[in-house]
Amino acid sequence: MMSEQYGILLVSHVTELADGLARLLKQVAQDITVKAVGGAVDGGIGTSFDKVMAALEEMEEPDVLAFYDLGSAKMNLKLVSEMTDKKLIICDAAFVEGAYLVAVLLQADTPFEKIREQLQELYVK
Amino acid sequence: MMSEQYGILLVSHVTELADGLARLLKQVAQDITVKAVGGAVDGGIGTSFDKVMAALEEMEEPDVLAFYDLGSAKMNLKLVSEMTDKKLIICDAAFVEGAYLVAVLLQADTPFEKIREQLQELYVK
Amino acid sequence: MLTVETTKTWLSLFIEKLEMNEKYLNTLDESIGDGDHGANMLRGAQYLKAKLAEDTQSGSAELFRMAGMSFIQKTGGAAGLLYGQAFLHMSQSLQEGDDLLGILASGLEGIKKVGQAELREKTLVDVWIPVTEDVRNKRLTLDRINEHVISTKDFKAKKGRAAYVSEQLNGHVDPGAASCGYFFEAMLEAGVYDE
Amino acid sequence: MLTVETTKTWLSLFIEKLEMNEKYLNTLDESIGDGDHGANMLRGAQYLKAKLAEDTQSGSAELFRMAGMSFIQKTGGAAGLLYGQAFLHMSQSLQEGDDLLGILASGLEGIKKVGQAELREKTLVDVWIPVTEDVRNKRLTLDRINEHVISTKDFKAKKGRAAYVSEQLNGHVDPGAASCGYFFEAMLEAGVYDE
Ligand SMILES: Nc1ncnc2c1ncn2[C@@H]1O[C@H](COP(=O)(O)OP(=O)(O)O)[C@@H](O)[C@H]1O
Ligand SMILES: Nc1ncnc2c1ncn2[C@@H]1O[C@H](COP(=O)(O)OP(=O)(O)O)[C@@H](O)[C@H]1O
Ligand SMILES: [Mg+2]
Ligand SMILES: [Mg+2]
Ligand SMILES: [Mg+2]
Ligand SMILES: [Mg+2]
């Protein structure tokens, strides 16, 4: 089962943005793990390495596709990817559209190579 | 002043997603009107013509750049654009990235033609 | 014939079919979308039902305007907006004195303007277009409506959620096509269409 | 010379400069970003300050590891992650017995790996790279550091928020470049660097 291998991690500068996107994804991908993390340590606008690391480590899937809103969220992901045993696939795709596409495709058991191919069209960063 | 002519309207299927994105935008575009609208009438996942129409009418700017997450949010915008006196510019750009770009550029008083040009690179829909 | 009476019956029968088939439309939407098409359509239908019950003096054009605003405002989701837009255009067309064929063509225009779907993209357009053709050629039957609905099984989706996994969707009827089938069955049963 | 003592002084002076210039760094970031660079850096600095105050027995490598984790975990924002990553790489490099030049080169590698910025893209890299070159050529002075910082006025931003309005940003010093200037001033003042 795809859903046991791949999970989705959403990193935003704003908590509600990540949470809201996760809600949108879960509606079309009930069986896929979607983890949302957002905001600075104090809950303000920003990102937090610790939060991202913790969110990733809480996921059970060995392979995680990560989406982010702005550049410094990506930097967190890069740092985290150096310190985790998981395979973290950082996707430079449009945040909402890319994550939505992957959610739908994972839910439909689409092979990873096909997902990667379709996602490529949403790369904007 | 650009900021008195152009406003930004965000339409999402999920309330928090639109609100969270508005928060992100306001941080870099304090002087720009950013209106967020999301969710179905009952607050569930979906869109509502009435909510979108009301949000647009509440804006003071005559020209409104609109961003949306998924196709049916766009349909709402199209319907609304037929029934309003405002100039509604529906942008098929990446939701978060496109709106963010426009917010930053409007705040910096960038001429509309330049904004349109830069935004083009974020078209993914 | 299209009269105030038959228009009311047409809309009422459509509402009835949507009420009876809510679950089925949801199920169809589960395989290709988010599983809410039946629930969405029911919301619009029940709102319109209440409006029709109160109404005693509207003409056909006004009835379709009422239907249009009901579906746009209450349905939620893509299809509701498209039906609503179609009804508004049909209302306009009725006001201009068009016949059934003209009205259906106007409705289609509304749908395409908002949704930009083409034939064979697995949407309600795949029922609306051939039904309009059948009306033009005076050969519309319940069987043909059904065939048009079933034809969507073989199409690959290009619009809406279903587009993402279109290759995996062959064999499923499009939910919007199914509800659109009800709309035209209701039209036949109401006696609006006469060869 | 790079000893435990001078390393501690280096980091402490950096912290002090960040404390003294928080407002100024915020102001610089206001013109090109979101105005939080000073506040961000201060958070990391103060956390590190507390850690240093408690510490009595760490070696240089351990001190930089501590600095790295402090900035990564507490700063928030792009620059904190980049400084943090640089410090971690410097720590690694110290452990392997590299000299100052080697350490600075390792730090730069860390920054580039995470941030992917090139020269003249109006970031702290525009200070880090020429300073490293000056160390290599044994000609680093406070004046030269200052020149490198000021040189960022003329560059167009390609990274971070500033990239969006890069054409409008000529004439402004990059906030990350300014804080990076403090880092190297602190290095000079601590006596780490000696021709
Ligand atoms: N762009 C479009 N043009 C025509 N019909 C469409 C379009 N997008 C979706 N549809 C129709 O809408 C139906 C789905 O409606 P529904 O489930 O109520 O809305 P949603 O997809 O927003 O959940 C699809 O089965 C299809 O027939
Ligand atoms: N990709 C990058 N590579 C190198 N430096 C960068 C990069 N992105 C941003 N910076 C530096 O970070 C500084 C901004 O840091 P800060 O304001 O603390 O974070 P944020 O931009 O997340 O608010 C910039 O002035 C620039 O020097
Ligand atoms: Mg649906
Ligand atoms: Mg829906
Ligand atoms: Mg900043
Ligand atoms: Mg910031």
Side-chain angles (χ1 to χ4, degrees), chain C residues 18-194:
Chain C
L18 291 174
E19 287 173 336
M20 275 165 36
N21 293 288
E22 183 205 354
K23 292 266 141 58
Y24 173 64
L25 293 175
N26 280 341
T27 311
L28 288 181
D29 196 23
E30 257 159 40
S31 1
I32 80 161
D34 56 352
D36 61 2
H37 184 57
N40 286 343
M41 293 300 287
L42 187 65
R43 237 183 343 257
Q46 289 186 328
Y47 186 80
L48 174 59
K49 190 181 186 175
K51 287 218 143 190
L52 288 178
E54 286 170 16
D55 185 84
T56 50
Q57 47 187 355
S58 296
S60 295
E62 180 54 22
L63 288 173
F64 264 109
R65 214 197 55 78
M66 207 184 272
M69 288 316 291
S70 299
F71 276 84
I72 286 177
Q73 296 184 312
K74 299 297 165 192
T75 311
L81 295 172
L82 295 168
Y83 278 108
Q85 174 76 344
F87 296 161
L88 289 185
H89 278 240
M90 289 166 79
S91 168
Q92 186 66 36
S93 178
L94 276 164
Q95 228 158 17
E96 289 162 10
D98 289 346
D99 63 357
L100 183 62
L101 187 59
I103 293 162
L104 294 183
S106 297
L108 178 63
E109 232 172 72
I111 293 173
K112 285 189 147 184
K113 196 164 172 190
V114 171
Q116 290 161 310
E118 297 297 326
L119 257 181
R120 307 177 75 89
E121 291 186 351
K122 210 179 182 88
T123 72
L124 48 89
V125 160
D126 290 319
V127 175
W128 200 292
I129 290 178
V131 163
T132 308
E133 279 316 294
D134 285 350
V135 169
R136 188 192 311 278
N137 299 314
K138 301 194 187 303
R139 58 170 187 202
L140 188 68
T141 60
L142 283 177
D143 275 356
R144 288 193 60 86
I145 293 172
N146 213 25
E147 276 167 33
H148 301 322
V149 170
I150 288 174
S151 77
T152 62
K153 278 194 183 184
D154 301 329
F155 301 152
K156 288 187 186 172
K158 292 228 170 60
K159 294 280 177 233
R161 280 182 190 77
Y164 294 108
V165 286
S166 60
E167 268 150 58
Q168 286 143 299
L169 295 178
N170 287 343
H172 291 284
V173 164
D174 174 65
S179 61
C180 195
Y182 301 148
F183 180 62
F184 290 115
E185 285 175 16
M187 179 181 85
L188 271 190
E189 289 165 17
V192 172
Y193 168 76
D194 29 26

Side-chain angles (χ1 to χ4, degrees), chain A residues 77-105:
Chain A
L77 285 165
K78 285 201 156 193
L79 282 173
V80 159
S81 79
E82 286 192 13
M83 303 184 191
T84 180
D85 292 333
K86 288 185 194 287
K87 187 167 160 207
L88 189 65
I89 304 152
I90 303 173
C91 304
D92 295 329
F95 188 41
V96 171
E97 296 81 358
Y100 188 84
L101 172 71
V102 167
V104 174
L105 293 180

